Structure formats: C-alpha cells, structure tokens
Amino acid sequence: MSAVPPVPAEAVDQRPVSGGVGPALSVGVDAVAADGGLIHIRVVTPEDWDALADLHERASDRSLYHRFFSASRVTARQHVAALARAGCADHCALLALIGNLAVGVAELQRVSDTDAEIALLVDDAQQGRGIGTLLAEHLAQNARGYGYRRLVAEVLSDNLDLLLLLADLRLPTRFTYEGTTVRLVIDVQQDAAAVAASDHREALADAASLARILAPRSVAVVGASKRIANIGHQVLREIRRGGFTGTVYAVNPHHDWVLDVPCVATAADLPEAVDLAVIAVPARQVLGVAEGCGRRGVHGMVILSSGFSECGTTGRTLEQEVLSTARRFGMRLVGPNCLGLMNTDPLVRLNATFADLPMDDGAVGLASQSGALGIALLQTAARSGVGAAQFVSLGNKSDVSGNDLLMTWERDARVKVIALYLESFGNPRKFARIARRIARTKPIIAIKGGRTPAGALAGRSHTAAAASSDVVVEALFEQAGVLRVDTMQELVDAARVLATQPAPTGPRIAIVGNSGGPQILAADAAFGAGLDVVTLSDMTMCRLREVAPHAASHANPVDLGAAADADQMGGAVQALLGAAEVDIVLAAFTETAVGDSVAVLERIAEVAARADKPVVAAHVGGIPGVVANASGSASVPVYDFPEPAVRAVGVARRYAGIRTSRPAPPRRLHHADAAAAGVLVETALADGQSWLTAEQQSAVLSFYGVPVCDQHVVADADEAVRAAAGLGYPVVLKAADGGLHKTELGAIRVGIGDEASLRSAVRDILAVVPGSRLLVQRTIQPGTELIVGALQDAQFGPVVMVGAGGVLADLLADRRFALAPVDLPTALDLVDELRTAALLDGYRGGPVVSRAAVADLVTRIAQLADDVPQIAELDLNPVICRGSSLTVVDARIRVAAAPDLPDPVLRRLAAPANRAVEVLRP
C-alpha cells in the first residue's frame, strides 16, 4: 500500500536492538477490529514465511501496485524474504492474523536516526475492517520505543484508503505532493487529538464486539438440565420467564428437550451460530465447550461456572486456557465465575442469569464484579422505582471488563446512568480517561470494594506510607469524574436523582415541608453534602406568603405547618422553583390525619414536570419510590427520610460540576531533561543503588527546575568547615544518606553559627550514623513547610502527593494525591483542598505563600515521576515556602525497576497470563 522499495536479504541489518527490550517474542496481543471482530497482532518471525507468501499471493494487482508501485508478483516474493527476517530497530514488521490466517502486515525501515518509513498491506477480503489502522497504531508504538521521532510514507495519490487511514491516526502530519505520489511525514508522539481519535475508534469497536452479547438474537444455554436445582436449568427458566424475544436453544447430551426448548448434544451441533452461549457446566468441561462454541462460530460466551482463578493456580491456568481458546476463535467472554447478564430492552428482554430479577425497563447500566451485590442492587433499585437498562456480572473479568462496558454504554441511549461495583482495575489509567470522557454526558457512580491499606511497603518514604490503595483509588475516581459512594443504598439513591432530574446548576437548596423536625435534619444533612441552605429573597418569601399565609415559617427551611394540603405544598414548591436564588428544591412531607400524602406527592410531581431545576421529595417514614405526573412524562424520586434525599442531591450536584468542567491537558515542561534524568537513574540502578545520593538527587531535581537549597557533600569536619565558609554561617548539617529518616535518628543539626559548633555537630552525627557522608546546607529564612512527593504504584503507575510538611507530615496526615502527570488546575485544587491551606495565606502573621508556585512544583514532580518510572519513591520534605520562593531542603529518592503497567492508550485486549503482554514494546 505504501511504497517501500524491496530490500535485498543481504541488506537487512540483523543487529539486535540497542537499549531497551526488543520485540523478540513470537506471541502477541489481541485487539478489536472496527466491526467488533478480534485480530491477533504479533511480530513477524522466520516461521511466517509461508503465511507472508500466501498473503502477498492473495493480494490483488491493485493492492500490490499501491504497496510496491508495481504489480509484479516477483517483486512481492522478493520482499517476503526480507520480511521474514525482520526483527530489529532497522527493520521491524508486525503481522495481523485471524486464527492462523495472515490478513495484514505492517513494517518500518530505518531512514535515519530519527525517521523510519512505514508500509502496510492488508488482505483485500479484509479491507475496511480497521485492520490497517490497528497495525499502524502498534507500529507507531514500536517506532516510539525504538526512539524514532517520525514516520514517513510515499503513497500514490490515488491510494485514498491509505491516505485516509494515516490521516485518521490524527498524529501531527505534513503532506507534500511529488507528481503522482504524496509524501507524508508523521510525528509519532501522540498529542491529545491522536489519543482522542484512538479512544473514539476503540469505543466504536468495543461496542460492536459486545452488541451481539448484550443484545443477542439467539442464545444457547450449555449445561441446561431438567433438574430444577441445576444452574443451567435456572438460567433457561429465567430466559423464558423474562420473555426473551429471540431464539433459545439448550445444550445437553442427555436430553432432547428442556423446559420445552429443543436440546442438542454439544455446542458444535447447534442448528445456527448463536450470538451468545451461556455456559453452566463444571469448570473442567468449560475448555471443551469453548472449543465447540468457537468451531460452531458462536459470537460470545458468558461463563457462569466457578472453579477458575478465584480457586488458585490450577484454576487460574484453566481460565487462561479458556480465554486463549476464545481469542483464537474471535469470541468475547464474560466471566467466568459470574451471575450472567440482563437486558430489559423491550426488543430483547433477556435475563441470562440464575436469579429472578425485575425486568422493568429502566435507565441504569450496572456492572458488578460481585453477582450477589448485583442482585441486591437491582432489586433495591426496582423497589425504589428506578429500573436497570442492562446488567452485567463481570465475575473474574477474564476478558470483558468495566472499561468495555463503559465504552459500550457511552452511546446506548437507554442507559442514562452508569453504576459500577468494582473490586479491581485491569487498566486504571485507561479507565480514568474513558470515564472522564463519558462523564461529560452520563454520570458514573461507583463503589470500590476492598478499602484496606496496601499493607507492607517496600520503601520508607512518607509518600509511600501514606498512599494506601484506597487513597490512590480516591484520586483515580476524582480525576476520572466518577462519583464515588460508600454504600449500595447511596448508589441507588443517587441513581434515582440522576436518572430522573436535571442536573443542579448550583449548590443552593431550598427545603419546604409540613413539619419542622425533618426540615432541620435536612438542613443539617445539606451542610455535609456540600449544599448551601440559601437565604430566600424578600420577593420569594412574599410569594410564599401568598401561597401559604398561615405557614409557621416562610424562611428557608419553609415550614408550612401540619395542616398544609396538596395545593399549598405544590404552590410553595413552584414559588421556590421560580426563585433565582434557588438551584434545588427538597419537599419533605410527614403524613398527618389532615394530610393526603398521595395528593401531595402527585402535586409536587406536576409542578416539577414544568421546571428545569431538580426536585426531590421525602415522604417521612413512607416507602421509597417515584411519583409521576399525570401524563407519566416526568417523575420525582421519593425517599423515606430527608437525609438520604439530600445526600443524593449532593451527589447530583457533584456530577453537575464534573459535567461542566473541562480538564486541561497534563502540563509538559519543554525544558525538562527527561533523557538525562533517565540515564542518571538507570546508572544508579546498574550500580546496585536503592537510594540516590545527595548529589544525584540534586541533579535529577535540577533537570526539572526544582529549586534545591545550596549545599555541599563532605566527608569530615575539615571539609565541612570549608563548605560552611563558602556558604556562610549559620548552616545546617545532616547525614547525606538518602535512605535515612534524619530527624528520627538525630542525624541533623540546624542553626550552626561557628566552626566549633560545626565540628561538634559532625562528631555527634557520625556517632549516630558512622561512616555516613555529611551534607552542609545554607540556612534559609523560615517559612511554611510542605511536603511534595511521588511514588510508582504497582497498579496505578505514578502518583503525586502534596501536604503539610516537616514535623506535621505524619502528625496531621494532611495530604492530597493525584495520578501523574497533572494539569495546573488539578494541582491547584490539590493545594486548595488541604486542611492547612489557610497557612499559605499568611495565617496569624505567617508568610504568604503563592499557591500557584506550589502547584507549579507539584506538576514538575508529577512529570518527573511520569517520565522516569524507575523513581519508585520521592519525598521533598520539607519544602520551605515564602511568597513565590520554594526551596527543597531535604530530599529522598528511592529507585527500582519500573513497574510493568498496561499501556493506557494502545488498543489491545488484556492478554492471557501465559502470553506476554508487552511483546510489541521495544
């Protein structure tokens, strides 16, 4: 497709890649094509000669002409010889396969130290499926890993398919026209536009791959039995009871019919290639069933069976074998060890679970790693008046994950609210980016199970000690725009508001009711939910007097008195909705002998239907639910007490802020020397260091413009005296070992004013840490002390922290975390949210500190942690701050091998454990 002259075999440089880990493994990764099919991508090996030759022989004359500028089959055969020997930085080739059939190849060849030429060939029968785009994305990733900065391509001007393909990557590209060819120079570094384009392609492909699983037209239950206690029997019963609109089959070698459904012996005997196979057989039989489903052309599987990775090593191995089989046949897989899935769409009506679930059409898409919690949430939601649109029990998340469902539900018009119960993250950075995009149009509510601390820590930094798993999850959710709640009831309560009411435009809430006590409780709850019980204007109170002249109070909270009827309650709600100072209205009604709760709630719903502000009701002591207006076109959520109603509205208010915010891209310091920092850290690791020396720390920080106190490293008292003379007294003396907690050990002295005191301090510190080198620092003016830190989390990657520093670092535990890198607004938010932030504003005569300067430092450390993942832990404590002057007076940096994290952008599915995940990364 792109013109790259054939390379003679003797001209191919077979030298190993210098630096890094080359793509030497023959296994690869799976990715989803544009139409939802699965494609396997791996590096080319010499054993691929026949497959490559066959691919080129199948190519049409037109495809060969576009690829080689010649339709000569001899040219193509000569090039296959070079391709089969590709495998180094000078010539890298990737192969796309469907099963064992080669359907595409992409290669890059060195042009210069910075440039490589790209070439693509895709099977004519497979063009238009996005295979070429996938190959180009993965090849660009390899180019980045090899250190190339640009890809170049010579393309015939009539090869519109390739021109559009390369343009759709949205990488910065320059086009020049040379006769009948177009020369493209493509910058391989992804900017925000390129990442967004990749995300868009992934979302469309993922939705296509799951469409026939979530909304199948045909279902087979494998393991269905006539025994009532059998899980397969129960699933088949629920499918029929739910009114599934498609075709149903049962698979069991011992029956001809189960529950009046025709039964075949094996999946291979199914009369058609069904969209979905629900598998409910013992774990030891699942692999054979998956093989049969694949051979029959089944599109996807839901594996209910337990006995896999949740049961230890043997089960984990079996699970990976099942996943490998599914990938080989292009099937997506939900589970194993799950409850199943449900779709209440009237056109589908599928309950493929072994639970009697409510099938009322609803607005919530629910994904849960716990089947039991999923059942509880669905039943609670149904009782509360908000139904589910779809439900997926993820189980072990062998394949289909929460990320997949987020992308699928993003464009599903029936899903108004996404709810998640998660116990783990497969690719948390991708989750954060996907969720942030979706949260602009749909709220995402989540409960994260397992809030225990991370346990024993490898390092000894304040940052690592403070960064429990739950702290990092909280940071992830905040940056992702996910509404975290603590309980299932809170999730259901919030979903009811978000699914039925407009998002509040502000935090100002008005409370109206017929009893003072519940309204007081509502006002108290509002404070905790971040809402403002607003002071009503004179005009609003005048309108309330017209509606309810005998009310006990016309101020907020508005107490209409026990005798208030439906008209008064409706009129009061209407008056409050019309008030410019009110963003939210809560109507709390306590049933009395003179009040008709049904009439009151119906009147509230009628008024709310005409408003563009959220209205919630509390029928104190009543039954939670929803009340619709007379036409049924709108409804108001009703709670049994005012506190849960207010908390739910508080979540909705948080979502309104998320929806309207526009995060800035992470800050990138163009003058930062990431290469030099990386070389320094790699050298330290090669020398066996765990902690950087003071000189190394100072150098690494200087590469990112981080201000470090003037200092000298010395070996003895004489050198300390000479250093102090150069710096000027008074000085600070401390142990220079980066791995020590100096204060706790007594290895630091401050305010040393003369030579005698300095020599005495040297003796004292060396007595505590014999053999240590010493650090002599200039004494700087006192200021507000902060801590800025970073660490590499084994699951979430680089994390940055800011908090109260010095001796207060652990005493107050006042700190905020974010996933790195961060943008300046996020860094400012971290600083503003500190409980001790007032200290930065000159509290009680203290120095005023520039919050912008602190945020700037946070972004620098965040970028350092992101650029150099071998920095395992970093503490700057304290950072002494006065005005816009920030000075690091103590630093500790631990280094270790970089964690192996999934790429947050590259489109690929999670690999089975017995296959390498990073095989395409140089």
Side-chain angles (χ1 to χ4, degrees), residues 266 325 407 504 883:
T266 69
T325 299
M407 289 186 286

Side-chain angles (χ1 to χ4, degrees), residues 673-689 691-704 864 868 870-871 893 895:
D673 197 340
V679 169
L680 187 154
V681 170
E682 287 285 5
T683 301
L685 284 170
D687 291 341
Q689 290 180 235
W691 296 88
L692 296 186
T693 65
E695 299 97 325
Q696 291 169 328
Q697 290 170 168
S698 181
V700 166
L701 295 173
S702 70
F703 293 144
Y704 283 79
L864 171 59
V868 188
Q870 297 87 349
I871 292 180
I893 300 177
V895 293

Side-chain angles (χ1 to χ4, degrees), residues 570-595:
V573 170
Q574 187 168 356
L576 293 171
L577 286 170
E581 70 272 19
V582 173
D583 302 310
I584 307 157
V585 175
L586 166 65
F589 182 79
T590 304
E591 194 160 0
T592 65
V594 296

Side-chain angles (χ1 to χ4, degrees), residues 877-901:
N877 183 38
V879 179
I880 297 181
C881 311
R882 293 186 67 88
S884 58
S885 173
L886 278 62
T887 306
V888 176
V889 297
D890 201 6
R892 302 170 67 245
I893 300 177
R894 186 174 73 85
V895 293
D900 189 10
L901 298 171

